[in-house]
Amino acid sequence: MAAALVSSLTPEELNALSDVPALAPPPGIESQFVNPQNQSLSFLLVTSILFGVMTIFFLNRTYTKAFIIRRYTWDDLTITVAFISSVAYYVVSIWGVQKGKLGVHQWDINIPDILSLNLLIPEYLASILTEVALLFTKATFFFMYLTIFGPLRWMRISARLGLLVNTGFYLAVFVANMIFSTPRPGQSWQEAVVGEQGTLALSIPQAVGGLIIDMFILALPITAVSKLQLPPRRKLGVILIFMSGALAVAASILKVYYSYILINTADLTWASLPISIVT
C-alpha cells in the first residue's frame, strides 16, 4: 500500500510534502529541517581514524609479504578483498551521512529527503558491502590459523569448520539482503524500500551470528598457544597479542545492543548510524 502510494506521487506532489516530517516528533519536540541535531561529526571522526589505522596495517602487511617474505597464501587474497570492500563501505557510508542525512532524527527529515536516492542507495550498498567485508575479514583469520597452527590436527579441523560456517552464514545474509532490498524490474528504489521490513528483521540474527563467529575466532589461537610448550612469559605475551581480538568481540556485542535498539524504534535514520560505526 505504502509503496503504491509513493509510486503514484508526482514530483510536484512530492515537493509539496517538503514541510512534512518523515516521522512524527515526540511530544514537546518540533521538527528542525534546517541544521538538525546529527551524529555526523562523531561518525566521521571515529570511522576516519579506524580507516586510517586499517590502511596502515594493510599496507604494512602487503609490503612485508611482497618484499620480505615473498610468499603468498590464501589469507593474502581474502584480506585484500576485505580491504577493498571496507574502503567501498567507508565511502558509501560517508555518502549517506553527508548527502543522505543518515544519523539525523527521522522527524528532522522531510518526506522528499527520506525518499532521496542519496539516502536509499548508500543504505542499500552498505548493507551489501558489510557482508562482503565481514566474510573475507573473518575468513582471513581462519586461513591464517591454518598456516600458523597447521601441525595441530584439532586446529585444522576447527579452522576449516569455522571457515565453512563463516562463509555459509555471511553468504546467506548477503543473499537475503539482496532479495529483500534490490528493486524488482520496473520498480523504483522508493517502491523497493518503503514498507520493506526483511532487512531490518535480519539485524539481530546477523549481529548475534557475527558475535558467535568472533568469539570462536578469538578462542582458537588462545587455546592453541596455551597448550604449546613455551616459557610462561613468552606464552603470556603471545596470548596477549591474540587477545587484541577481544576488541572485535566487544564491537560485536555493541552491534547486538544497537541492533536491538534499531528494531525497537521508528527513528531508523538515527538508530542505524551507531551500527555503522561498530561494524
Side-chain angles (χ1 to χ4, degrees):
M1 180 70 73
L5 178 61
V6 168
S7 64
S8 66
L9 292 175
T10 65
E12 292 75 19
E13 291 171 330
L14 194 59
N15 189 57
L17 299 174
S18 296
D19 294 327
V20 179
L23 179 68
I29 295 179
E30 294 184 0
S31 297
Q32 299 289 333
F33 297 138
V34 180
N35 296 323
Q37 181 185 5
N38 65 78
Q39 306 174 80
S40 62
L41 182 59
S42 59
F43 173 82
L44 291 172
L45 181 63
V46 174
T47 56
S48 295
I49 291 174
L50 293 176
F51 179 78
V53 172
M54 176 191 71
T55 301
I56 291 172
F57 274 104
F58 174 76
L59 293 177
N60 180 68
R61 185 185 191 279
T62 302
Y63 175 84
T64 301
K65 293 299 289 283
F67 298 102
I68 299 178
I69 299 178
R70 296 184 180 181
R71 183 173 64 88
Y72 298 100
T73 48
W74 279 107
D75 54 303
D76 297 309
L77 174 62
T78 54
I79 199 172
T80 300
V81 176
F83 177 77
I84 293 172
S85 54
S86 296
V87 171
Y89 176 82
Y90 174 75
V91 171
V92 299
S93 296
I94 297 296
W95 175 14
V97 169
Q98 295 291 83
K99 299 294 184 180
K101 296 192 175 181
L102 192 62
V104 175
H105 285 297
Q106 205 158 312
W107 56 78
D108 290 331
I109 305 175
N110 60 29
I111 297 296
D113 283 342
I114 202 69
L115 297 175
S116 168
L117 295 182
N118 283 324
L119 176 61
L120 302 183
I121 294 180
E123 282 189 326
Y124 169 79
L125 292 176
S127 69
I128 300 301
L129 289 168
T130 297
E131 314 315 324
V132 177
L134 291 176
L135 190 163
F136 284 96
T137 297
K138 297 180 184 185
T140 299
F141 286 97
F142 291 120
F143 279 123
M144 184 174 66
Y145 295 163
L146 286 172
T147 300
I148 298 174
F149 302 105
L152 301 177
R153 183 174 180 274
W154 71 266
M155 175 61 89
R156 293 198 304 272
I157 295 173
S158 299
R160 287 167 181 162
L161 177 62
L163 186 61
L164 180 63
V165 171
N166 177 72
T167 303
F169 175 73
Y170 283 109
L171 274 180
V173 177
F174 175 86
V175 171
N177 278 330
M178 291 286 287
I179 293 173
F180 288 136
S181 305
T182 305
R184 306 295 187 269
Q187 191 179 40
S188 68
W189 281 99
Q190 290 81 2
E191 291 176 274
V193 172
V194 172
E196 195 283 305
Q197 296 294 317
T199 301
L200 189 62
L202 287 174
S203 299
I204 291 292
Q206 176 188 352
V208 172
L211 172 60
I212 292 172
I213 294 173
D214 285 341
M215 293 175 66
F216 188 61
I217 289 173
L218 177 62
L220 285 182
I222 293 176
T223 303
V225 172
S226 66
K227 294 181 178 181
L228 295 179
Q229 298 299 317
L230 293 173
R233 242 175 148 183
R234 186 179 177 189
K235 181 182 292 188
L236 177 61
V238 175
I239 289 176
L240 288 176
I241 291 174
F242 284 113
M243 277 296 293
S244 61
L247 293 175
V249 173
S252 291
I253 293 173
L254 287 174
K255 187 174 182 179
V256 173
Y257 169 73
Y258 286 124
S259 295
Y260 177 79
I261 292 176
L262 179 67
I263 66 172
N264 287 285
T265 183
D267 191 9
L268 301 180
T269 51
W270 179 271
S272 61
L273 199 62
I275 296 177
S276 297
I277 294 175
V278 299
T279 298

